Amino acid sequence: MEENQITPMPRIGDKAPSFSAVTTQGEINFPADYSGSWVILFSHPADFTPVCTSEFITFASMEKQFEEAGCKLVGLSVDGLYSHIAWLRTIKEKIEYKDMKNVEVNFPLIEDITMEVAQKYGMIQPGESSTKAVRAVFFVDPKGIIRAIIYYPLSLGRNFDELYRALIAMKAADEFSIATPADWQPGDDVIVPTAGSCGVAKERMENKKDMKCYDWFFCTRPIAKNTVLKKVLKQ
Ligand code: BEZ
């Protein structure tokens, strides 16, 4: 890349920028290797640091849960491969955190000493740090499209239950052509698409069927938890 060239940050709805990288699980081609599956690409500031260690133990402990929801995980930091390997070995051999111990990180962790990938994904945010990636999370769908992006600063560990909730909610939105309200969890009512005409708005208010309408533009309907989980989890 030319010096001072500004890479535009990827946005929701963009195709995930492609790259090849060396990882702790061998070389990967992103997002091509993940075609047909959801994948979360996330960055952390540095190996052998406390917040990141708590995050890796937590995320790795939930890897099977994400796998069962059809989602793979890929990590990245501006560290070298041998640092990554040593850190992941330390996590497995020495760290016990909140009843999690012996945790093996089986998902790939990208070495990005050159910051090439981190720059491509807007993970280097100089106001926060010009040498470390912020805590970025990119949800990429089976077609390689970025569907959600979350950024946290260096000092703030992520909530991985929220990442899981967001994944399930996006998959449910795709499967059932609905939207999900604040704090939605499987089993809660979902939002039906807003009425697009005066006729539909009138009908909504007069003939609510199984819907609950707070007003013409805000209607929900129930979907059973099992119905959601059957669709969004791998059988
Ligand atoms: C941490 O993971 O603890 C951390 C990393 C970089 C800056 C601040 C905290």
Side-chain angles (χ1 to χ4, degrees), residues 45-46 49-53 132 135 154-155:
T49 51
V51 179
C52 299
T53 300
K132 294 176 170 63
R135 300 183 196 280
L154 304 189
S155 62

Side-chain angles (χ1 to χ4, degrees), residues 101-121:
K101 63 177 178 181
N102 255 319
V103 175
E104 199 154 341
V105 175
N106 292 313
F107 56 79
L109 176 51
I110 295 169
E111 77 153 4
D112 194 28
I113 288 275
T114 61
M115 298 194 204
E116 195 182 322
V117 180
Q119 295 281 14
K120 243 184 196 177
Y121 275 81

Side-chain angles (χ1 to χ4, degrees), residues 62-79:
M62 294 172 75
E63 187 178 6
K64 187 158 174 276
Q65 192 182 334
F66 278 86
E67 180 68 42
E68 284 168 2
C71 183
K72 299 182 188 309
L73 311 177
V74 178
L76 172 149
S77 77
V78 181
D79 288 291

Side-chain angles (χ1 to χ4, degrees), residues 24-124:
T24 49
Q25 302 289 328
E27 189 164 329
I28 61 167
N29 293 299
F30 193 92
D33 289 351
Y34 299 89
S35 174
S37 170
W38 282 76
V39 56
I40 292 177
L41 173 67
F42 71 101
S43 57
H44 70 275
D47 299 343
F48 293 102
T49 51
V51 179
C52 299
T53 300
S54 70
E55 288 194 322
F56 261 67
I57 292 195
T58 308
F59 217 0
S61 299
M62 294 172 75
E63 187 178 6
K64 187 158 174 276
Q65 192 182 334
F66 278 86
E67 180 68 42
E68 284 168 2
C71 183
K72 299 182 188 309
L73 311 177
V74 178
L76 172 149
S77 77
V78 181
D79 288 291
L81 183 63
Y82 300 115
S83 164
H84 283 344
I85 292 170
W87 182 45
L88 300 188
R89 286 176 63 86
T90 303
I91 286 176
K92 178 165 165 50
E93 286 162 15
K94 298 203 180 128
I95 310 286
E96 179 173 352
Y97 174 70
K98 285 192 173 171
D99 291 335
M100 294 175 277
K101 63 177 178 181
N102 255 319
V103 175
E104 199 154 341
V105 175
N106 292 313
F107 56 79
L109 176 51
I110 295 169
E111 77 153 4
D112 194 28
I113 288 275
T114 61
M115 298 194 204
E116 195 182 322
V117 180
Q119 295 281 14
K120 243 184 196 177
Y121 275 81
M123 292 163 171
I124 304 296

